[in-house]
């Protein structure tokens, strides 16, 4: 019987560490132009000052390199399995970050009443409302073809303000809108933030950190609805 050889985590460090910060890849994000992978926060921050890949120097995009980024969820799961305790530490740090950030926003803006579902969570901590991950408040407003807010082909949502996980993607938001608005199969919609169409794989956290600059206010999204001819 052959004996399986045990491998040390450091033997894989070359594949699971970030070229920028030299730490383990956190939310590994790949540049589609050259396929180099970095921590999401590292590469987003790098692209604020440069359009080139920090490892190979290739120009990723002339004007908007953030559009050429893709999250690698498979690699993230592999890293979490290889490095004991890494997932738990990162989740705790993420929760602390959003708590701190939310408290700053509350200090800058008007006090809002806590959602009823959160009050119920406090009364019954054993009940699961799927809110253990960080939350973000967003506004979904309908956009006319002529660029004015209001009714389009269909009426907008009765309740425009919602709270969701920071990990929700634009693709999920589009499905949510399609169901709520009861759109026929021949109709389609886009999700815009600051006048820019958001990619379906963008998470709310990614948009908040890279597109939304008005701290202390809900992230605003607009959705034009159109029909395929």
């Amino acid at each position: 019987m052959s004996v399986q050889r045990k491998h040390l985590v450091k033997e894989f460090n070359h594949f699971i560490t970030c070229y920028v910060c030299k730490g383990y890849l956190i939310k590994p994000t790949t540049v589609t132009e050259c396929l180099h992978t970095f921590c999401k926060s590292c590469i987003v921050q790098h692209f604020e000052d440069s359009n080139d890949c920090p490892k190979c120097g290739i120009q990723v995009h002339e004007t908007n390199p953030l559009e050429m980024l893709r999250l690698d969820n498979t690699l993230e799961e592999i890293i979490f399995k290889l490095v004991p305790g890494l997932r738990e530490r990162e989740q705790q740090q993420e929760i602390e970050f959003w708590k701190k950030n939310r408290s700053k926003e509350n200090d800058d803006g008007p006090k809002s009443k806590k959602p009823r579902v959160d009050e119920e969570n406090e009364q019954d901590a054993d009940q699961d409302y799927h809110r253990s991950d960080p939350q973000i408040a967003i506004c979904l407003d309908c956009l006319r073809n002529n660029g004015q807010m209001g009714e389009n082909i269909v009426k907008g949502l009765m309740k425009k303000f919602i709270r969701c996980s920071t990990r929700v993607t634009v693709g999920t938001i589009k499905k949510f809108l399609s169901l709520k608005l009861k759109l026929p199969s021949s109709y389609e919609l886009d999700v815009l933030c600051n006048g820019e169409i958001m990619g379906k794989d963008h998470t709310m956290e990614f948009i908040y950190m890279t597109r939304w600059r008005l701290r202390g206010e809900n992230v605003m999204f607009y959705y034009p609805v159109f029909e395929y001819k």
Side-chain angles (χ1 to χ4, degrees):
M1 181 184 295
S2 60
V3 179
Q4 291 185 347
R5 175 174 173 262
K6 292 184 178 180
H7 296 273
L8 300 176
V9 174
K10 65 180 182 180
E11 297 179 30
F12 303 96
N13 279 351
H14 175 72
F15 305 102
I16 62 176
T17 53
C18 176
Y19 178 82
V20 177
C21 69
K22 311 304 180 185
Y24 290 120
L25 288 165
I26 302 302
K27 296 185 179 177
T29 303
T30 300
V31 180
T32 57
E33 285 296 295
C34 58
L35 300 182
H36 289 136
T37 303
F38 310 90
C39 297
K40 184 173 77 170
S41 59
C42 291
I43 191 61
V44 168
Q45 185 175 1
H46 171 80
F47 281 157
E48 290 182 356
D49 302 317
S50 173
N51 292 340
D52 302 335
C53 171
K55 188 171 184 179
C56 66
I58 187 176
Q59 186 182 62
V60 177
H61 194 277
E62 291 184 359
T63 58
N64 191 9
L66 293 174
E67 289 297 325
M68 311 305 291
L69 299 179
R70 296 294 182 270
L71 287 171
D72 192 336
N73 295 322
T74 302
L75 179 57
E76 181 181 44
E77 286 301 316
I78 292 174
I79 295 172
F80 282 152
K81 291 181 182 299
L82 284 173
V83 185
L86 182 62
R87 184 198 301 270
E88 291 73 17
R89 290 197 301 270
E90 287 304 317
Q91 288 178 341
Q92 184 60 36
Q93 289 180 8
E94 184 178 358
I95 292 173
E96 291 174 357
F97 168 81
W98 284 102
K99 283 182 178 179
K100 182 179 178 181
N101 192 71
R102 191 179 301 160
S103 64
K104 288 182 178 180
E105 292 182 354
N106 291 337
D107 291 339
D108 295 337
K111 301 294 182 180
S112 58
K113 186 178 179 180
K114 190 174 292 186
R116 182 168 176 248
V117 69
D118 287 346
E119 295 174 355
E120 293 174 352
N121 277 343
E122 292 176 358
Q123 296 173 0
D124 188 1
D126 294 333
Q127 202 162 1
D128 181 16
Y129 288 98
H130 307 287
R131 291 188 173 234
S132 60
D133 53 337
Q135 303 287 302
I136 187 171
I138 66 175
C139 176
L140 301 171
D141 207 344
C142 190
L143 188 69
R144 287 183 179 178
N145 290 330
N146 60 8
Q148 299 296 321
M149 288 180 293
E151 293 185 355
N152 195 358
I153 297 172
V154 295
K155 293 184 178 180
L157 298 174
M158 292 185 62
K159 296 182 179 180
K160 300 185 294 184
F161 295 92
I162 64 174
R163 183 175 293 276
C164 62
S165 167
T166 57
R167 299 173 185 174
V168 167
T169 65
V170 170
T172 302
I173 295 295
K174 292 176 70 172
K175 291 179 181 178
F176 169 78
L177 288 170
S178 296
L179 289 173
K180 285 293 184 180
L181 300 175
K182 298 180 180 179
L183 292 181
S185 58
S186 59
Y187 287 80
E188 184 59 91
L189 57 82
D190 288 319
V191 174
L192 285 72
C193 182
N194 291 334
E196 178 184 352
I197 296 178
M198 298 290 99
K200 66 180 181 64
D201 295 323
H202 286 0
T203 64
M204 297 299 101
E205 178 188 20
F206 179 83
I207 295 172
Y208 181 85
M209 300 300 293
T210 63
R211 299 297 195 278
W212 192 246
R213 303 299 182 185
L214 302 178
R215 298 296 188 262
E217 298 185 17
N218 295 324
V219 183
M220 297 289 297
F221 292 100
Y222 300 100
Y223 54 94
V225 182
F226 51 90
E227 183 180 12
Y228 283 118
K229 300 293 184 178

